[in-house]
Amino acid sequence: MKPFRFVRIADAAEAARAAGHDHHAKFIAGGTNLLDLMKLQIEAPAAVIDINHIGFDTIEETPEGLRIGALVRNADLAADSRVRARYPVLSRALLAGASAQLRNKATTAGNLLQRTRCYYFYDTTKPCNKRSPGSGCAALAGFNRIHAILGTSEHCIASHPSDMAVAMRLLGAVVETLKADGTTRQIPLAELHVLPGDSPQTETTLERGELITAVLLPAPPPGKQLYRKVRDRASYAFAIVSVAAIIGEDGGAAMAFGGIGAKPWRVEAADGLRNGDEIADAVLAGAIGHGGNDFKIPLTRRMIRAVLRDAKEG
Amino acid sequence: MGAGMMEQILQITLNVNGQDHALCLDPRTTLLDALRENLDLSGSKKGCDHGQCGACTVLVEGRRINSCLTLAVMHEGEAITTIEAMEDATISALQAAFVEHDGFQCGYCTPGQICSAAGMLREFAAGMPSYVSSNLSAPALDAAEIRERMSGNICRCAAYPNIVRAIEQVAG
């Protein structure tokens, strides 16, 4: 790791202000992704601001749904009785991700902001436009079976790795933030992550110093909630393809996907469709394989059919 | 700041297995390195150093975490429990059960497996579900649940069947 200055700041506004003044600063919460990247010198912040003592670590009822503090640990969110009862797709998605040790440490906001697991992003001997803008994308002609088929560009085909974010995207989550100037705003999760385009190093719409303080969940939509994940081993692996789904009583579906998009992927135009192939046609419109990940296109189609079948059987 | 910056040294107190230890640490020091290098508690093992193998698992405030993926300076004032915690009844019972059931071959992953199992049993007792729980609200601890809940601990000798038996025995 490169040397850095460590500061613990116990006030959220002060932390945001400090990070706003220093573009080489990073917040640390769980640290499970940041420290991994710092060891590899993919991240080399000059200052690390420990925000574990700012509060925002509880789950509160709102008139519509829940407000999840940014520092609620993934394990606690998955186990929360209200989440288990009303948003089981979120519990299931969280439990499908990482290991128990990591879920005990990783936070709600950190999960949303985790970086891709693209092999070439992690390999500092290889070109990567996300890590080193302008250097090229080694994944395009390289090993790309884990990469995205939707929302990519000629500059980056990395997939977003989160399971949790897929369920939150389906549930219509909104992110609450605190900016360096002390103002707050709400960002629909759909607008938090941005597509790579020609600047894959920019991954979110957050401003310098802007701190996620909570995630708001609206009332759970009616219907059966499911999360289905395909990965290379039975546990503790990122999604090759995952699908979060809510299937209404009339069979109409709403779905969001992990493993296939440059960000958590959702096609609202497919909402309400009952037929798996029709949903797949809508979701996969514009999907592009890059050789190693061509199989994700038919696999996603089969996953859609499977989750519809799960809803009928279960 | 940046290259050539003065390296910061922080004075902290770590509470490990019930004992306070005053330390002066570079903030880059992971909790794992502080335990092994500064406190000579070498039971916690460094496998991958990237949170992928679980050999470094310790308990912080009773919860299992990867000590390689956290900074020591983030844990001032917290109760840290390692494999050396002989007074911890669950850890002691697990150690005996791993010996009885031959839950290892080379033994390198064992301290992490045991600390992880201790944390896992507490999570289960608190009603936390897992990915394989068919009922999120009332999970039951069978072998499939133990395997899923222990998936953050890799054993390259593949002693998994006996690890599961050892944990089953302690789970009762």
Side-chain angles (χ1 to χ4, degrees):
Chain A
M1 261 186 258
K2 297 279 193 190
F4 57 83
R5 187 168 42 83
F6 179 85
V7 281
R8 177 187 282 186
I9 299 182
D11 177 76
E14 197 186 321
R17 194 162 54 243
H21 287 310
D22 182 356
H23 71 282
H24 294 299
K26 284 269 178 194
F27 299 123
I28 192 164
T32 53
N33 188 216
L34 179 62
L35 288 171
D36 190 21
L37 293 167
M38 286 169 65
K39 287 182 183 192
L40 298 164
Q41 299 187 9
I42 295 162
E43 296 271 20
V48 171
I49 301 172
D50 180 359
I51 55 166
N52 282 290
H53 302 271
I54 61 169
F56 298 100
D57 55 357
T58 58
I59 303 169
E60 297 160 11
E61 295 274 352
T62 63
E64 303 80 27
L66 294 177
R67 173 184 278 108
I68 303 158
L71 285 146
V72 172
R73 309 287 151 170
N74 289 176
D76 295 326
L77 182 56
D80 184 87
S81 59
R82 296 159 294 187
V83 175
R84 278 193 264 182
R86 282 144 62 183
Y87 306 95
V89 66
L90 179 54
S91 278
R92 294 270 177 207
L94 281 157
L95 294 168
S99 67
Q101 287 98 317
L102 291 168
R103 292 192 297 270
N104 276 339
K105 207 87 189 75
T107 62
T108 305
N111 188 313
L112 290 175
L113 299 180
Q114 66 179 305
R115 312 291 304 274
T116 185
R117 295 326 193 270
C118 170
Y119 324 120
Y120 302 100
F121 175 69
Y122 266 77
D123 182 350
T124 52
T125 68
K126 298 290 190 300
C128 170
N129 287 321
K130 197 182 269 302
R131 171 169 40 72
S132 180
S135 62
C137 173
L140 278 169
F143 291 99
N144 52 36
R145 72 183 298 278
I146 68 166
H147 290 72
I149 54 173
L150 288 159
T152 58
S153 75
E154 60 186 307
H155 304 287
C156 181
I157 59 170
S159 57
H160 194 274
S162 174
D163 288 291
M164 182 198 80
V166 173
M168 286 185 170
R169 180 72 180 82
L170 177 67
L171 292 165
V174 173
V175 173
E176 273 189 348
T177 71
L178 178 59
K179 292 205 223 180
D181 65 6
T183 60
T184 60
R185 67 167 167 159
Q186 296 194 342
I187 308 169
L189 185 55
E191 294 165 23
L192 176 71
H193 299 104
V194 295
L195 295 179
D198 58 8
S199 56
Q201 71 276 18
T202 304
E203 296 177 351
T204 72
T205 49
L206 295 177
E207 298 170 11
R208 184 188 300 173
E210 189 168 5
L211 180 66
I212 294 177
T213 51
V215 172
L216 299 171
L217 292 183
K224 183 161 191 163
Q225 300 181 20
L226 302 105
Y227 194 74
R228 190 180 179 96
K229 177 173 178 176
V230 167
R231 46 185 158 176
D232 281 339
R233 53 188 189 194
S235 183
Y236 197 12
F238 290 95
I240 296 296
V241 179
S242 71
V243 53
I246 299 172
I247 316 292
E249 271 187 27
D250 64 350
M255 297 188 189
F257 299 85
I260 61 172
K263 62 184 216 174
W265 203 256
R266 171 144 163 73
V267 176
E268 276 90 347
D271 284 4
L273 295 176
R274 296 182 187 82
N275 177 282
D277 281 321
E278 285 177 23
I279 297 169
D281 287 344
V283 169
L284 292 165
I288 304 168
H290 304 275
N293 65 355
D294 290 349
F295 71 98
K296 286 190 175 184
I297 297 172
L299 177 58
T300 302
R301 184 173 290 273
R302 291 199 297 274
M303 291 278 283
I304 291 168
R305 289 190 198 129
V307 78
L308 290 170
R309 190 190 61 223
D310 288 347
K312 275 192 193 136
E313 289 176 357
Chain B
M1 288 299 152
M5 66 188 283
M6 288 287 289
E7 286 180 19
Q8 185 186 22
I9 299 293
L10 294 167
Q11 282 192 315
I12 65 159
T13 302
L14 282 187
N15 183 285
V16 184
N17 302 330
Q19 269 199 303
D20 279 341
H21 301 270
L23 293 171
C24 292
L25 293 178
D26 182 315
R28 289 175 290 180
T29 312
T30 62
L31 178 58
L32 176 62
D33 284 340
L35 292 169
R36 290 179 55 86
E37 308 295 333
N38 297 82
L39 298 176
D40 292 330
L41 294 170
S42 56
S44 304
K45 295 292 184 264
K46 186 179 283 193
C48 68
D49 209 26
H50 287 281
Q52 297 172 6
C53 76
C56 68
T57 303
V58 301
L59 303 171
V60 175
E61 297 288 317
R63 294 168 65 121
R64 53 182 166 157
I65 66 166
N66 300 112
S67 63
C68 76
L69 279 189
T70 193
L71 300 173
V73 294
M74 292 165 71
H75 296 285
E76 181 141 43
E78 295 178 339
I80 297 155
T81 307
T82 70
I83 190 66
E84 288 92 350
M86 294 303 290
E87 69 284 2
D88 185 294
T90 309
I91 287 178
S92 293
L94 283 162
Q95 287 181 333
F98 269 64
V99 171
E100 186 181 335
H101 290 277
D102 202 15
F104 45 79
Q105 194 176 115
C106 81
Y108 195 79
C109 73
T110 311
Q113 297 277 1
I114 287 176
C115 286
S116 183
M120 184 274 283
L121 292 172
R122 276 165 215 176
E123 289 162 13
F124 180 75
M128 295 174 101
S130 88
Y131 182 68
V132 300
S133 307
S134 52
N135 182 346
L136 284 177
S137 297
L141 196 64
D142 55 17
E145 282 276 1
I146 291 173
R147 285 176 180 276
E148 164 60 25
R149 290 166 188 262
M150 292 295 294
S151 72
N153 292 83
I154 309 293
C155 172
R156 289 296 74 163
C157 306
Y160 299 113
N162 292 353
I163 291 171
V164 172
R165 281 184 202 111
I167 295 171
E168 278 180 319
Q169 175 174 309
V170 175

